[in-house]
Amino acid sequence: MSFLHASSTSTSSSASASSASGVSSASHPLAPYGWDEVWEAQFAPYAAQGLLPGRVVRVDRGQCDVLTADGVVRADTTYVTPHDPLRVICTGDWAAVDPVGDPQFVRAYLPRRTAFVRSTSSTRSEGQILAANVDHAIIAVSLAVELDLGRIERFLALAWESGAQPLVVLTKADLVPDATGLSYLVEDVETAAPGVQVLPVSSTTGDGIDVLTAVVSGGTSVLLGVSGAGKSTLANALLGEDVMDVQATREVDGKGRHTTTTRNLLALPGGGVLIDTPGLRGVGLWDAEAGVGQVFSEIEELAAQCRFHDCAHESEPGCAVLAALEEGSLSDRRLESYRKLLRENRRIVAKTDARLRAEMGREWRLKSAEGRANFNAKRGGSRRYP
């Protein structure tokens, strides 16, 4: 399947020039890819310079494929390759392409509405942008293996932080033929994903695909998940043809090879745009405190009722979180996952925030002193923690 939607094929150079200078955004050849009046207004200064708008459909090795009104062009990204990895051009960006010269160059890209960012697995913990200008973040979770609710919560935190609306899709639902058993699995995920639609689907039987198609028909969706989650099969089901290669997963652990090796942007026949991503081995948080709070909204609401505004929810009197834990309305797993993601996020932020690093150091020293004092007290020592 071509990157180019049927409505945007075989347009002439004169058509692209006129579209860049003011043709209605609704009739613009790039409208199926998300071009609208707001993008058109933001692009106006670049249009005045003779640059053409286009959406980045793929990036690799200092170049990118950009879908313009004339079709897909290969463009150099030298002018938009800053030292900050979060500012490099990315699949989903709207680019300003210089049509003159060989090769053509991307001169700039428009400010992003949303951006899905994770931390890399490097020791420097740099941020990596996976997709830009996304409306829906589809988190694919395979029912062929045991559910990992903690991983789902991690994906959800990044999705909420990006500004996109998350959606959890439970793939391979045909492997759970018992309707009652499937409903329990959906309920488990819904508990870990408050405010998020959880949709079981089967690319084999077609169950749930029509609902998912309706959800993604408006706007841009990014497909996320680990290897073996069934993302490529799901993408093919949405596209209506076998565009993405599919590899079999191992029966032992349900894992698969990285079928998709780059991020690709594709137009869906029923409307909307899909960005397919490679399977993610690691899903590190990147300054996602607000996203974590959204995932654990019930804990955040409880925390607002604690006696002390700086309650750590560990042993403080009047802690509403611990009270909910004791009465059973909050699970140990859920609270521990919340604590874990908050700690991880603080460590990531502290690497670039000297003040937070110092604050965390003071907290660590204070807790160490308290631990030593308690130890000495148990042994009958004379030192006491103030």
Side-chain angles (χ1 to χ4, degrees), residues 112-124:
R112 294 161 176 156
R113 294 179 182 174
T114 62
F116 193 95
V117 179
R118 68 163 179 173
S119 98
T120 65
S121 57
S122 69
T123 54
R124 292 178 295 178

Side-chain angles (χ1 to χ4, degrees), residues 82 297 384:
S297 56
R384 302 186 60 168

Side-chain angles (χ1 to χ4, degrees), residues 214-333:
V215 171
V216 302
S217 62
T220 299
S221 302
V222 62
L223 191 53
L224 304 157
V226 299
S227 297
K231 296 188 305 301
S232 295
T233 302
L234 187 60
N236 286 337
L238 291 171
L239 291 163
E241 56 182 304
D242 292 338
V243 176
M244 311 304 296
D245 291 332
V246 177
Q247 301 280 0
T249 58
R250 298 196 298 256
E251 293 184 3
V252 174
D253 54 12
K255 294 182 179 179
R257 288 176 287 177
H258 292 293
T259 302
T260 305
T261 56
T262 58
R263 289 177 284 280
N264 303 293
L265 185 147
L266 302 158
L268 298 172
V273 178
L274 181 69
I275 299 177
D276 191 24
T277 65
L280 301 175
R281 290 189 180 92
V283 195
L285 299 185
W286 180 259
D287 198 4
E289 183 176 356
V292 173
Q294 186 77 29
V295 176
F296 299 93
S297 56
E298 81 280 24
I299 299 180
E300 297 269 300
E301 291 172 3
L302 287 169
Q305 302 171 29
C306 291
R307 180 183 302 177
F308 305 108
H309 69 87
D310 58 348
C311 183
H313 320 305
E314 293 178 349
S315 59
E316 296 85 350
C319 176
V321 174
L322 294 180
L325 192 67
E326 185 175 348
E327 70 181 21
S329 59
L330 176 65
S331 69
D332 286 306
R333 187 211 66 80

